[in-house]
Amino acid sequence: MTPADIPPEQSPYVVALERIAARDKQIAELSALRAIDVHDAWQLLLAEAPHDQSTAGPQWSPQRVAEVEFFTEVAMLTHRTEYRARTLADTAIALVSKLPASFAVLAAGDMSEEHASVIATHSEGLEGEALEKYDARMARLAPGLTYKQLEYRARSHAQIAQPETVLERVEKAVKTRRVTVDPAKDGMAYLTLFAPAPEVYAIANRAVALAKGLKVGGDPRSITQLRVDVLCDLMLNGETSIPGATTGIRGRVHVMVPAMTLLGVGEEPAILRGYGPIDPVTAARLTADATSWRRILTDPITGRILQLSPTDYRPTQEMRDHATLVHPYCVFGGCADDSVDADIDHTRDFAGGGLTEDENLAPLSPTHHRVKHHTRWQIEQGEDNTLIWTSPAGLVYVFEPQGVMRPAPKALVDAVAKTTPREVTAEEPCPF
């Protein structure tokens, strides 16, 4: 739109709004073009017929190998999480291969990529005439609804279209229940619970009821704040009612605090494993209440964690600590799984001559441990714990260790170097 095209009565603000709508239309059109590219890439990978690369254990089918290679490849290439990459790929493949009416609406720029994702997600399991009716109805509804409104319609229509498979789909979905943690800014984080709807709504209703009760009793906190606080209290201090579950377990956090910071000399921030730097007040509170400590030595010049243990067939606890401190997360690109729960993998397989030493160990989530062994992804590790991944397509990705402390300030190193070391007796306690 040029200035000559703008009617005199239109304000610049209205013109700006129209530009926003026009950009959204362009984004939708580009999303349709990308969907074609994703679909084509998937077909080309299938033509290569990738097969299981492992030499032991249960073998993956060619379809599973292709799916895992494709989703991980797209995730790494586009800097998405694997969940987002899978959603992108599933949506694109479904639109191009079996949802022509909905794809036409997206290509015309009349609905967003979020709308298309909703339609594709709920089309799973629909076939024949049921799929055609679903596609036509969603294509007709999408332009006039938000994607949240469309999600409700799509879910309802899909369930009505195939009522005989409702129980089967619910049982399948229940198996995917999970809890995820995502860090946020200013010392906050998101805890996402993906569980059966009745339980989730019951949890939310209980939180509201408890919050309202406290509010009526004069608690100054807002209802929103109270809902969060009562849930945190229940999860941290409540006891499980699941038969066989151990009671009395409390949550644990792992905080790495430089000794010089504790002594008031350095300014290096404390690190909450899985999150990152935390403020000094929180670090002080956590260290004051700590029930156990583990001393980890680092090189003051480079900040690198020093060798902790000799080699052995199985990683020692010290080696596991080294790997999880250097790499707070699974070392597969885009994965945010906490390394504490990961497998400590030999980068170069032990059976292939790889040694059990710090420079050959890295944490991989169980999922990505299997990806490494069953697909064509390849990994190498440098002496500084840098990981180099080569994808099935031959693309190379380099990941630096995240848990290395910064070197000590040069002035502090020089001051220590000039100080005459004194003899330390065995009776003296460790200062940190």
Side-chain angles (χ1 to χ4, degrees):
M1 178 179 291
T2 65
D5 298 323
I6 302 175
E9 65 276 7
Q10 270 196 318
S11 70
Y13 174 60
V14 172
V15 173
L17 291 176
E18 290 180 346
R19 286 176 178 160
I20 293 174
R23 296 299 184 205
D24 261 7
K25 188 178 182 70
Q26 291 175 338
I27 291 171
E29 293 168 350
L30 288 172
S31 296
L33 293 176
R34 184 182 59 191
I36 296 174
D37 293 335
V38 171
H39 176 268
D40 290 349
W42 168 242
Q43 294 301 318
L44 291 169
L45 177 60
L46 289 179
E48 291 185 4
H51 60 276
D52 196 314
Q53 302 293 303
S54 66
T55 57
Q59 295 288 295
W60 285 4
S61 68
Q63 177 74 14
R64 185 180 180 188
V65 173
E67 288 178 353
V68 172
E69 286 195 358
F70 190 59
F71 297 141
T72 53
E73 187 85 63
V74 172
M76 197 84 82
L77 179 66
T78 62
H79 306 292
R80 284 177 167 82
T81 62
E82 285 174 43
Y83 173 78
R84 295 292 184 188
R86 178 179 286 268
T87 299
L88 169 67
D90 285 345
T91 298
I93 295 168
L95 284 171
V96 176
S97 63
K98 65 178 186 179
L99 297 166
S102 298
F103 178 77
V105 175
L106 179 66
D110 293 331
M111 71 174 179
S112 71
E113 185 179 3
E114 288 84 358
H115 288 74
S117 178
V118 165
I119 294 172
T121 296
H122 291 283
S123 71
E124 185 179 354
L126 297 178
E127 298 177 350
E129 185 179 355
L131 177 61
E132 293 178 7
K133 289 183 177 179
Y134 170 83
D135 182 28
R137 180 170 175 76
M138 293 304 107
R140 185 171 64 255
L141 291 174
L145 301 174
T146 67
Y147 81 93
K148 280 291 187 182
Q149 294 169 330
L150 182 67
E151 199 276 336
Y152 178 82
R153 301 288 187 90
R155 185 173 67 249
S156 300
H157 187 90
Q159 184 165 332
I160 293 172
Q162 289 191 328
E164 68 279 1
T165 63
V166 170
L167 290 179
E168 180 183 337
R169 296 201 306 272
V170 169
E171 290 175 357
K172 181 180 179 181
V174 167
K175 293 179 181 179
T176 66
R177 60 191 183 276
R178 58 189 177 273
V179 173
T180 57
V181 178
D182 298 294
K185 65 178 183 178
D186 300 331
M188 304 294 282
Y190 296 97
L191 176 69
T192 302
L193 171 68
F194 182 69
E199 282 85 346
V200 171
Y201 279 86
I203 291 170
N205 288 338
R206 186 180 184 193
V208 170
L210 290 171
K212 287 182 177 178
L214 290 169
K215 194 67 177 175
V216 171
D219 196 297
R221 289 170 287 183
S222 69
I223 289 292
T224 299
Q225 293 168 341
L226 285 168
R227 287 171 63 187
V228 173
D229 294 346
V230 296
L231 281 181
C232 288
D233 180 61
L234 286 172
M235 287 187 284
L236 291 173
N237 299 314
E239 296 296 352
T240 178
S241 62
I242 300 176
T246 303
T247 60
I249 294 177
R250 294 293 180 264
R252 295 189 303 165
V253 294
H254 300 263
V255 181
M256 185 162 57
V257 186
M260 302 309 289
T261 298
L262 281 181
L263 296 175
V265 178
E267 297 180 351
E268 178 74 5
I271 303 295
L272 176 62
R273 183 156 57 184
Y275 179 81
I278 57 176
D279 66 276
V281 175
T282 300
R285 176 174 60 81
L286 292 173
T287 53
D289 297 335
T291 57
S292 64
W293 288 86
R294 179 182 296 276
R295 182 177 62 182
I296 304 294
L297 301 180
T298 61
D299 187 318
I301 306 300
T302 66
R304 185 178 181 276
I305 296 176
L306 299 177
Q307 187 78 13
L308 297 177
S309 179
T311 61
D312 195 1
Y313 173 71
R314 293 183 180 278
T316 63
Q317 184 58 50
E318 288 79 7
M319 289 178 174
R320 292 186 62 88
D321 288 339
H322 180 276
T324 56
L325 286 169
V326 171
H327 301 288
Y329 307 101
C330 164
V331 297
F332 191 87
C335 184
D337 287 358
D338 196 320
S339 61
V340 174
D341 302 317
D343 299 334
I344 302 302
D345 172 66
H346 288 74
T347 303
R348 182 184 178 192
D349 292 344
F350 188 86
L355 299 177
T356 308
E357 57 186 359
D358 294 332
E359 284 74 17
N360 193 47
L361 299 173
L364 277 173
S365 69
T367 296
H368 291 119
H369 198 171
R370 291 190 291 270
V371 168
K372 176 195 171 190
H373 289 292
H374 289 277
T375 72
R376 293 175 292 172
W377 279 97
Q378 300 292 322
I379 182 175
E380 298 177 17
Q381 184 169 178
E383 293 184 357
D384 59 352
N385 297 116
T386 295
L387 281 305
I388 304 170
W389 284 95
T390 302
S391 79
L395 303 179
V396 177
Y397 302 90
V398 179
F399 296 93
E400 302 287 343
Q402 301 179 51
V404 177
M405 303 297 286
R406 288 201 303 267
K410 186 176 184 302
L412 180 60
V413 174
D414 292 342
V416 172
K418 295 177 182 178
T419 303
T420 302
R422 64 184 180 85
E423 182 178 351
V424 180
T425 64
E427 288 75 21
E428 288 184 301
C430 175
F432 57 91

